Amino acid sequence: MSVRIEWHGALFERAFQIAVSKEVQKSAEIFQRNLSTALRSAGKGSKGKKGKKAVHSPKGSKIPYTITGTLARSWSVQKTQRTGDKYVSKIGTGVKYAIYLLRGKGTGRRNFLDGRLGWRRKTLKMILARLEAKRLVAAAVRSLK
């Protein structure tokens, strides 16, 4: 009796890279979806009079009254790109005031990207679960069958 073992390392490596690329893409989509949800659930403010800035929440208020509806709908996720051993999927928007609202400073303005916020902590857990090594290996092995 003899046993023959074949190792297709290059084939598995390629399948693993494809699995990583897909999961990075899905992770970016999770971030985009959760950011949009956080922006949609924010307090709404008035647009103000013509030529004036948007009205923000009162001094000392924890509720961010900002106009975030358009910003919440404007996010797009780029396809994952590999550069060396790094996989990158970018999330972007064409809304010019995005950085002002996302990293709002000062009274009554909220930094929507603050890592201490609940949606950010939840999103990080979701992304880490998607990028778990066992999950990636299992996806690569499944694609070889």
Side-chain angles (χ1 to χ4, degrees), residues 29-97:
E29 291 167 1
I30 288 170
F31 187 86
Q32 178 265 331
R33 182 186 68 230
N34 289 355
L35 174 59
S36 291
T37 300
L39 290 168
R40 277 194 311 276
S41 64
K44 304 295 182 221
S46 70
K47 293 182 182 178
K49 296 179 181 176
K50 289 185 179 182
K52 292 188 178 182
K53 292 182 179 179
V55 177
H56 294 283
S57 60
K59 185 175 182 176
S61 173
K62 299 288 185 191
I63 302 170
Y65 287 98
T66 54
I67 302 165
T68 56
T70 301
L71 182 59
R73 292 185 300 272
S74 69
W75 295 96
S76 62
V77 179
Q78 292 180 357
K79 188 175 178 181
T80 301
Q81 294 181 351
R82 179 179 176 208
T83 305
D85 61 348
K86 293 182 182 180
Y87 292 84
V88 178
S89 184
K90 295 180 182 178
I91 302 166
T93 182
V95 176
K96 292 180 182 179
Y97 60 89

Side-chain angles (χ1 to χ4, degrees), residues 1-3 5 12 16-17 20 36 64 67-69 72-73 75 80 86 89 105 109 113 117 121 135-136:
M1 174 183 219
S2 68
V3 176
I5 298 173
F12 174 77
F16 184 77
Q17 290 170 349
V20 170
S36 291
I67 302 165
T68 56
R73 292 185 300 272
W75 295 96
T80 301
K86 293 182 182 180
S89 184
K105 303 288 183 207
R109 296 185 185 139
L113 296 179
L117 295 174
R121 291 192 313 268
R135 179 185 174 96
L136 295 171

Side-chain angles (χ1 to χ4, degrees), residues 86-135:
K86 293 182 182 180
Y87 292 84
V88 178
S89 184
K90 295 180 182 178
I91 302 166
T93 182
V95 176
K96 292 180 182 179
Y97 60 89
I99 196 69
Y100 174 75
L101 288 178
L102 290 178
R103 294 195 183 273
K105 303 288 183 207
T107 313
R109 296 185 185 139
R110 180 174 175 188
N111 179 350
F112 285 95
L113 296 179
D114 189 332
R116 296 170 293 181
L117 295 174
W119 81 267
R120 282 286 308 268
R121 291 192 313 268
K122 175 185 164 192
T123 301
L124 180 59
K125 286 180 185 176
M126 293 170 75
I127 289 170
L128 291 175
R130 285 209 86 84
L131 298 175
E132 187 179 37
K134 284 183 181 180
R135 179 185 174 96

